[in-house]
Amino acid sequence: MTEPMLSRLQHLMTVREEVESLGELPRSPGTDWPAADWVDEGTHLSLFLDVPGVEPERLEMQDDGETLTLAGERPELPGNLIYQERRSGPFARTLNFPEPVVPGSGQAQLSAGVLRVRFEKLHPTIDAVVSSER
Amino acid sequence: MTEPMLSRLQHLMTVREEVESLGELPRSPGTDWPAADWVDEGTHLSLFLDVPGVEPERLEMQDDGETLTLAGERPELPGNLIYQERRSGPFARTLNFPEPVVPGSGQAQLSAGVLRVRFEKLHPTIDAVVSSER
């Protein structure tokens, strides 16, 4: 094996290790909360966010069709907190839309601590897979 | 420095590194979800758990006065999930009580995706700090 090839392989291995370690590192607080899921519904995109214990009037959302920012605050627990894992206080998270949506089309719904926001896609997907069903 | 001493120190350093790395490593799924807070209320202990989107009939709790196990299931989102961070499917977590409680005394309440369970302490704390207030 020639030296440049070995060097390139070593570089690739390093890059791979770095990429793998990204998945292992805890994400910094503030960027990974609330946790998010995206569901593609053909003509719409639905975003699901876990915001347990956050009152609806403490939630704020802004979107420009490309990114969406959710901000809010979860109240601190009153009393003598002796062990804490749950996040409290203000939070903000900016998410990229998986594909362009109609700006301002989001319809929000909060239920059992889950916020669902449904957006109209700018380019609705036509489902061409139906014909392959048996 | 004698060899055994050096060897012991090296062992201690290794243990320390292992302990420190524990804090950096992501916890394995299933043990750190749902996130938990404990509040000491003098005569009672309250446990708060984030279980957004989990229906009450899908939650099960067992305690023996020393440990508490919460098990449940969060439904998978229907449709074409294109991005997923939110946990779904069955989960279980066992927690140690910060101090002994009266077995079976837990009173559960689910609100906005937060489960609160209030336990009676076996040895209630008497607040002796009141007299130091101005």
Side-chain angles (χ1 to χ4, degrees):
Chain A
M1 195 178 286
T2 61
E3 194 56 41
M5 177 67 98
L6 186 65
S7 165
R8 272 183 65 195
L9 271 176
Q10 280 173 337
H11 176 67
L12 282 175
M13 288 298 285
T14 309
V15 169
R16 190 181 138 194
E17 277 164 21
E18 279 170 6
V19 168
E20 283 176 350
S21 74
L22 285 177
E24 289 162 21
L25 286 171
R27 299 175 205 172
S28 65
T31 56
D32 64 344
W33 206 92
D37 285 353
W38 284 100
V39 174
D40 186 338
E41 296 167 1
T43 56
H44 289 73
L45 281 176
S46 271
L47 170 66
F48 293 81
L49 291 154
D50 284 343
V51 287
V54 181
E55 293 177 18
E57 54 267 35
R58 288 306 191 114
L59 281 172
E60 233 172 77
M61 219 174 50
Q62 278 192 325
D63 81 272
D64 59 8
E66 286 186 4
T67 65
L68 168 137
T69 300
L70 179 83
E73 188 163 5
R74 185 153 83 158
E76 312 272 343
L77 287 180
N80 185 14
L81 194 59
I82 51 175
Y83 181 79
Q84 181 168 30
E85 289 176 354
R86 296 168 66 244
R87 195 194 174 87
S88 64
F91 61 87
R93 184 174 186 188
T94 299
L95 292 146
N96 293 313
F97 287 101
E99 57 175 286
V101 300
V102 178
S105 66
Q107 298 282 321
Q109 190 185 336
L110 183 65
S111 170
V114 179
L115 177 70
R116 178 188 185 170
V117 199
R118 201 160 178 260
F119 299 91
E120 207 179 313
K121 279 190 193 182
L122 206 56
H123 311 293
T125 315
I126 294 151
D127 190 356
V129 188
V130 177
S131 58
S132 73
E133 281 181 7
R134 286 206 278 178
Chain B
M1 196 177 287
T2 61
E3 194 57 39
M5 177 66 99
L6 186 66
S7 165
R8 274 183 62 196
L9 271 176
Q10 279 174 337
H11 176 67
L12 281 175
M13 289 298 286
T14 310
V15 170
R16 189 180 139 195
E17 277 164 22
E18 279 169 8
V19 169
E20 283 176 349
S21 74
L22 284 177
E24 290 161 21
L25 286 172
R27 300 175 205 172
S28 65
T31 56
D32 64 343
W33 205 93
D37 286 354
W38 284 100
V39 173
D40 185 338
E41 298 167 359
T43 56
H44 289 73
L45 281 176
S46 271
L47 170 66
F48 293 81
L49 291 155
D50 284 344
V51 288
V54 181
E55 292 176 18
E57 54 267 35
R58 289 304 191 115
L59 281 172
E60 231 172 78
M61 219 172 51
Q62 279 192 323
D63 80 271
D64 60 8
E66 284 186 6
T67 64
L68 167 136
T69 300
L70 179 83
E73 187 163 6
R74 184 151 84 158
E76 312 271 343
L77 287 181
N80 184 15
L81 194 59
I82 51 175
Y83 181 79
Q84 182 167 29
E85 288 175 356
R86 295 168 67 245
R87 195 193 174 88
S88 65
F91 61 87
R93 183 172 186 187
T94 298
L95 292 146
N96 294 312
F97 286 100
E99 58 176 285
V101 299
V102 179
S105 66
Q107 296 283 320
Q109 189 186 336
L110 183 64
S111 169
V114 179
L115 178 70
R116 178 188 184 169
V117 199
R118 201 159 178 262
F119 299 90
E120 208 179 314
K121 280 189 191 182
L122 207 56
H123 311 293
T125 314
I126 295 151
D127 190 357
V129 188
V130 178
S131 58
S132 73
E133 283 180 7
R134 287 206 280 177

